[in-house]
Structures are given as C-alpha cells and as structure tokens.
Amino acid sequence: MDAHPPYPSGLRLTGRRVVMVGAGHVAQRRVPALLASGAVVTVVSPEATPAIEALADAGEITWECRRFVEGDLDGTWYVVAATDDHTANEAVSAAAEARRIFCVRADDAMAASAWTPAVGRSSDVTVAVLSNGLGNRDPRRSAAVRDEILEGLREGTIAAPHHRDRTPGVVLVGGGPGDPELMSVAGRRALMEADVVVADRLAPRELLGELPSTTELVDVAKIPRGRFTAQEAINDLIVSRALAGQRVVRFKGGDSFVFGRGFEEVIACRDAGVPVTVIPGLTSPIAVPALAGIPVTHRGVAHDFTVLSGHLPPEHPGSLVDWQAVARLTGTLLLMMAVENAPAIASALVAGGRAAGTPVAVVCDGSMPAERTVFATLGTLGEALEANAVRAPAIIVVGEVVRVAHPEAF
Ligand code: SAH
C-alpha cells in the first residue's frame, strides 16, 4: 500500500473537459462543484438521476447515455469513476492511468490516483481537507475538520485581523427575526469585521455578545439627539464614522428595507459619498408565521399575501394604505406594528367585506424564547389581544392559511 500522503493541489478547470462516469448520487453531488469551477462536464452512464438529466436538458452538461468506452477520455483532463460497479470503475481507472489522466474513484479511494477533499467555501478562500491516507482514510473526519474551519471563518474566530475587510463604509445588515441562528452567513461575517456596530432594539441581541472586544457597540436608543430626530441622528452617526475611516455595520431586525427605514440610511450615505452595501435579512412577516407553522401561501387557499404596516389606524390622514381595497383581497394579510390598532383594522376589514369569521393568528416574539401564538377571528381579535395581554413585537396573520395550518384552533 502507498504510505505517502496526497499532494494537495487546486485544479483550474475552466474550459477543460472532465468526464464523470456514472450518474447516481455521487455524480449528483460532485457535478455542480465541477461546473462551478468552469469545467466542461461530460457524464457517461446508461441511466441518470433526474437531477443529472435536468442538467443535461438545460445544456449545462453533456450526457452520453451509454456505457463508458476508452475513447471518452480523449481530450480529458480529469475523470471521476462513480458507477456502482467495481469492475466498471476499475476499467475507467485503468484507462485513465494508461493515459496519465488523474482519476477519482468512488468505490476504492486507496486504488485511485486522485482524491476529492471535503470542500467548503467562505467568501475569500476555499477550504479543502484531505486525510493523509495513512491507516484509515476517514471522509467523515475530513468533513468535520472542514466544518470546524468554516465555522471559525464565519464567526471570525480564525479570521486574522489583516484578512478582514476593513474598507471604510456602511453595511446595512438585516438580522432576521431574533434568533441568531436565523441570520445570514454574510451578515454574521460583516458583524465580525466591523469597527463599530450600530444596533436596533429588534436586532438579534445575542450576537452582540460574540463581537470581538475591540468592536465598538452603539445602541441607537442611546445616540444623543439634540435638535435632530432619532433617524437624523443615526444617519449622522453612521455617515460621520464612515467618513472618519471606520467600517460601520448598521444592524437591524428582519430585513432593513421592510419597515426598517434602511433606505433613508442608504440615501444619507449616498448624499455624503459614503460607500454603502446591503445584506438582506429574513423578514418577520414571512419568517415569523413560518416559525409558528403557518405558510403565507398555500395551493388552492391563498394565491397572494400582502404585508401591511398597522402603525396608523385606518382613516388616519397620514395612512398610505387603502384598507377598503385590502378588505376585498382574498389572500393572506400580514400586519406589522399593528397590535395597538388591530381592533380598528379588524373592524375596517369586516366593514369592507372580509368575513368576521376569517381566522387570525397573532404570533408574538417570533423565534425568541417567549414565542407564542394567539388565535382569534377578525370578529374576536380585539378581545383576544386584550385577554392575552399581547404586546409588540407581533405579526398578525389574517386568512384561511391559519385554519389550514392550525385546524385544531377553530
Ligand atoms: N425590518 C423588520 C420589521 C421592523 S418593524 C422586518 O423585516 O422584520 C417592527 C415590526 O416587525 C414589529 O412591530 C412586528 O410587527 C414585526 N416583528 C419584527 N420582529 C418580530 C418578531 N421576532 N416576532 C414578531 N414580530 C416581529
């Protein structure tokens, strides 16, 4: 047996012919990565999984619907023998060896001339982990090591400071509904790279405890305002810090552009010539019902969903919502910032034609330890909110999807 460890190398496959022999689950997992590297992939197999067939139909790969022949290796740089037949893989491997083409084998790594590492990508590096092949070659161990490394990179615990993006500017990060697990990888990374984090009340608080001790944390509630409004003071703070050369993360709950005033901050940055980027977040009107087991659409039940701010009551001169038009919609309504005005909104919807028996779910503190759901109908909503002492933040879901998801409540 060969006692030498493999020599790691990154293959640059753009425009190069790669042959995958076999079209089962191994091919299904490996082909996308080959395509992502720019390889020109030919799959040779008398049968294929639907996923491989779909790639062939889409013209992303060539599928030769037959058994392997040696001529398949003409002009080939790299080959993967991934059939479920040991003899067939051996034949592919032998043909490749004769032509000095590196060959991976799904059935017998120790007999192969190349190994596929456990791979993962972070924004600026590819992590590839190979076992050294002495003793047992254990792919699970490689995958576990890869996961550890990726997690460290994502959380910033193994990103050396000089590798961090330190370009001055503002990054608007949407933190999702509250549970840090529901935040994007890109958002987490941006947080760990920031010089200063300007955080809202609804942004996932737990993550702030993980920030490096050198990161300055500003709670927006505590920004001195003087003659400015709170929003002006925030705009002023993020712009002035970026102009002073800092990398600023503006950290909010949900998505910055869904009732988050994020675009006012984008405009303020643009006006001041400060570079500004946006990392979207899971928005609560969709994510919070989902956490409570309620889909916002369902085939044959709701073909539309509408997200509405209820911070102003119907009839309020400042309201931009046409509640009469909304009352005529048949799909799902998702009311945000609406706890206080919910009784008035429910009345307006019923007056406008939506049935008083329409099911309603009020999902409070979605994804937080105190998460709970209160059920009602449009007719009983006001009472139910009071009886259950419902407080913001809550998403009020109106529509038949609530009954479909929780028939036991009605
Ligand atoms: N930008 C945020 C929304 C900010 S407005 C987003 O995209 O989700 C604040 C309102 O969002 C709250 O009044 C409430 O209606 C809703 N909300 C935000 N987080 C919530 C949560 N975890 N649970 C329930 N409702 C939430």
Side-chain angles (χ1 to χ4, degrees):
M1 189 186 284
D2 181 0
H4 298 101
Y7 177 77
S9 177
L11 301 183
R12 304 197 63 213
L13 294 175
T14 308
R16 302 204 155 114
R17 177 178 164 90
V18 172
V19 172
M20 171 75 59
V21 186
H25 69 278
V26 175
Q28 193 169 328
R29 283 198 323 215
R30 300 275 168 84
V31 166
L34 289 165
L35 291 175
S37 301
V40 178
V41 178
T42 293
V43 173
V44 183
S45 174
E47 292 130 347
T49 62
I52 293 291
E53 220 176 314
L55 285 173
D57 288 345
E60 293 195 60
I61 60 168
T62 304
W63 174 25
E64 301 290 356
C65 183
R66 52 165 173 73
R67 290 185 68 86
F68 170 78
V69 292
E70 287 200 13
D72 286 326
L73 297 184
D74 290 347
T76 297
W77 291 78
Y78 192 69
V79 54
V80 183
T83 77
D84 51 13
D85 172 355
H86 182 71
T87 322
N89 288 344
E90 213 159 56
V92 173
S93 174
E97 187 78 19
R99 292 168 188 240
R100 300 172 183 234
I101 301 167
F102 280 108
C103 178
V104 173
R105 282 182 66 166
D107 58 330
D108 186 355
M110 294 315 284
S113 57
W115 290 350
T116 309
V119 176
R121 281 181 220 282
S122 107
S123 62
D124 56 348
V125 289
T126 294
V127 176
V129 179
L130 290 165
S131 74
N132 60 20
L134 306 170
N136 265 345
R137 183 177 171 275
D138 182 359
R140 273 170 211 259
R141 162 96 175 124
S142 302
V145 171
R146 170 205 56 197
D147 291 344
E148 288 288 315
I149 295 171
L150 285 176
E151 194 173 319
L153 287 170
R154 278 171 197 151
E155 293 184 345
T157 49
I158 54 173
H162 59 275
H163 285 145
R164 292 185 182 169
D165 189 347
R166 290 260 178 220
T167 337
V170 173
V171 189
L172 264 61
V173 174
D179 180 345
E181 292 279 305
L182 296 176
M183 206 181 132
S184 72
V185 171
R188 256 176 190 266
R189 188 179 171 91
L191 269 185
M192 296 306 152
E193 288 177 345
D195 294 309
V196 50
V197 173
V198 182
D200 266 8
R201 194 174 45 86
L202 280 178
R205 297 255 122 197
E206 275 173 58
L207 279 178
L208 302 176
E210 292 175 18
L211 291 176
S213 57
T214 48
T215 311
E216 184 188 354
L217 178 61
V218 181
D219 180 345
V220 288
K222 301 205 176 115
I223 296 176
R225 297 210 239 152
R227 56 202 167 81
F228 295 122
T229 65
Q231 188 60 53
E232 284 167 343
I234 294 166
N235 295 354
D236 190 55
L237 177 85
I238 60 177
V239 164
S240 60
R241 293 306 193 88
L243 289 175
Q246 290 190 309
R247 190 161 176 84
V248 183
V249 162
R250 177 69 179 101
F251 189 38
K252 296 168 188 275
D255 183 273
S256 304
F257 288 170
V258 179
F259 301 125
R261 304 192 69 166
F263 208 70
E264 294 171 52
E265 293 163 14
V266 168
I267 292 169
C269 289
R270 285 190 187 159
D271 287 350
V274 165
V276 54
T277 52
V278 180
I279 298 176
L282 278 186
T283 191
S284 62
I286 299 173
V288 167
L291 291 165
I294 304 168
V296 294
T297 69
H298 187 65
R299 195 171 70 93
V301 175
H303 287 183
D304 57 278
F305 65 87
T306 307
V307 177
L308 299 139
S309 168
H311 77 292
L312 296 177
E315 313 296 333
H316 188 286
S319 174
L320 299 177
V321 178
D322 181 346
W323 289 101
Q324 284 183 352
V326 172
R328 288 195 298 275
L329 295 172
T330 56
T332 309
L333 305 180
L334 302 156
L335 306 172
M336 304 175 67
M337 299 183 278
V339 172
E340 198 179 325
N341 294 318
I345 291 170
S347 305
L349 292 174
V350 172
R354 196 101 190 211
T358 307
V360 176
V362 184
V363 190
C364 313
D365 295 310
S367 85
M368 260 89 80
E371 178 181 321
R372 63 177 175 143
T373 305
V374 170
F375 295 100
T377 62
L378 274 184
T380 63
L381 181 58
E383 282 165 53
L385 291 176
E386 206 171 298
N388 292 283
V390 169
R391 303 270 168 276
I395 297 292
I396 303 180
V397 189
V398 179
E400 288 302 322
V401 288
V402 175
R403 195 194 310 272
V404 172
H406 293 283
E408 76 287 352
F410 296 93

